[in-house]
Structures are given as C-alpha cells and as structure tokens.
Amino acid sequence: MNLANRITLARIFLVPVVCVILLLHYNFGSFTLNGQTTTGGEVIAAFIFVVAAATDGLDGYIARKQQMVTNFGKFLDPLADKLLVSAVLISLVQMQRLPAWVAIVIISREFAVTGLRLIAAAEGVVIAASKFAKWKTVTQMVGMVLLMVNNFPFSAVHVPAADIMLYVMVAMTVLSGLDYFLKNKQMIQTPHAS
C-alpha cells in the first residue's frame, strides 16, 4: 500500500461524503441569485468533489515519479474515477438537476470503454487515454460542479453555464467514446477463417 494507492483510496472514501452532503440537504446557509438558490452544503460538496477529482492526476504522477506503479493501482485508479463520476451523476439526477438520459449516456460510455480496455488487455495491448478523453474529463468535472452549485456564480449574470456545459460534456463523452472504438476497432472485430 504505497502513497499513490492511498491517495486513490482516499478518493473512493470521499465519494459517499460528497453524496451524503448533496442528498441529505445539509444547507449550512443558502443564498439566492436571480431565483436560483445555492446552499452552503452544495458548495462544500462541490469543493470536496474538486479535491477528489484533483487527486486523480496526483496519484498517477506520484506512482510514475517514484516508480510505484502497481497492478493494484492500475485496477483501483479507473475504478475510483468511475465511482466518483457515477455517484455524483446519480445524485444530480436525484436532485433533479440532471436529466437521467445524460447520466445513462455518460455511465454507459464508461462501461463500454472499460470493456474495450479489458478486451485489449487480454490481448496484451494497453489503450492509453486519448486527448478527447482528457477533454471529456475536464468538461465533465466543470459541468458537474456547475450543476452541483446550481449555476453559481453565473446565475447572477443570467448565463446558463451549467446547461451549456451539460451539452458540451455529453458531446465530449460521445466523441471520446467513438474515438476509442474507431481507433481500436481491431480489438472487437471477429477474426475471419482463412
């Protein structure tokens, strides 16, 4: 259990913390801008989510720099990411801030790409994260934070940033998924008998 793996485990432990604060409505005060209310609890949950998401790059960096890459870490890191994203998406659906179809599209893409990676791993091939995937991650994090805090502070100036990011993150999710499958289609093609 090295430092990188401990950071990854910490990310997993933060998942229920974020969800509990979001779903049990711990307000810690609230404020309303142009008819949209944001609670202190939502701000705290969003902050914890950002911290948890930031550990994703940190654990990988530490593992590589200190040459502590382990099979356990390779398994745990993507699992932690998927748990964090899926749990927050489902919480946002419960809060009626995210349409269920968006959560279904994003979570389905994660399962599909994971399946592709498993097929590739069985063939001894490692599929590295693409540029599309990195942009997908950024847009998802920004979009989910804006939804968690009910479009604060953009609600003050009547800019629907959360709604815009919702569609951007769906587009990037679909594009990155297609990119993975098109670039690695040989992994799923059935070999023909000669």
Side-chain angles (χ1 to χ4, degrees):
M1 184 57 64
N2 59 42
L3 177 60
N5 290 342
R6 285 183 180 143
I7 292 171
T8 307
L9 280 173
R11 182 156 76 254
I12 291 173
F13 290 134
L14 287 175
V15 172
V17 175
V18 172
C19 294
V20 164
I21 295 173
L22 277 178
L23 297 178
L24 294 186
H25 307 294
Y26 293 126
N27 289 341
F28 304 112
S30 63
F31 48 94
T32 302
L33 294 172
N34 293 319
Q36 290 184 284
T37 301
T38 303
T39 68
E42 291 164 357
V43 173
I44 292 168
F47 176 77
I48 296 170
F49 173 74
V50 169
V51 169
T55 65
D56 180 29
L58 180 63
D59 57 8
Y61 172 77
I62 290 172
R64 288 186 298 274
K65 185 172 183 182
Q66 299 184 359
Q67 297 180 345
M68 297 187 300
V69 177
T70 64
N71 287 334
F72 180 68
K74 288 178 186 176
F75 163 77
L76 197 65
D77 185 58
L79 176 65
D81 298 340
K82 286 163 185 52
L83 284 172
L84 180 64
V85 169
S86 299
V88 171
L89 288 172
I90 293 166
S91 298
L92 289 168
V93 171
Q94 174 69 23
M95 296 167 69
Q96 299 183 340
R97 293 200 183 162
L98 182 75
W101 70 266
V102 173
I104 291 167
V105 166
I106 293 173
I107 294 170
S108 297
R109 180 264 184 209
E110 297 301 330
F111 277 111
V113 171
T114 298
L116 178 65
R117 280 198 161 117
L118 289 172
I119 293 168
E123 298 293 323
V125 177
V126 175
I127 298 177
S130 67
K131 288 182 180 178
F132 267 122
K134 290 173 182 176
W135 279 108
K136 178 268 305 180
T137 300
V138 170
T139 58
Q140 282 182 359
M141 297 306 148
V142 172
M144 286 190 281
V145 167
L146 287 171
L147 290 165
M148 289 166 78
V149 297
N150 207 14
N151 201 42
F152 175 80
F154 297 97
S155 54
V157 289
H158 299 286
V159 175
D163 293 334
I164 293 167
M165 285 308 300
L166 186 152
Y167 291 105
V168 171
M169 70 184 192
V170 169
M172 289 306 300
T173 296
V174 172
L175 286 172
S176 68
L178 287 172
D179 182 57
Y180 271 119
F181 278 90
L182 290 173
K183 286 181 178 174
N184 300 282
K185 60 186 176 184
Q186 72 278 5
M187 293 295 164
I188 54 175
Q189 287 176 337
T190 306
H192 298 287
S194 54

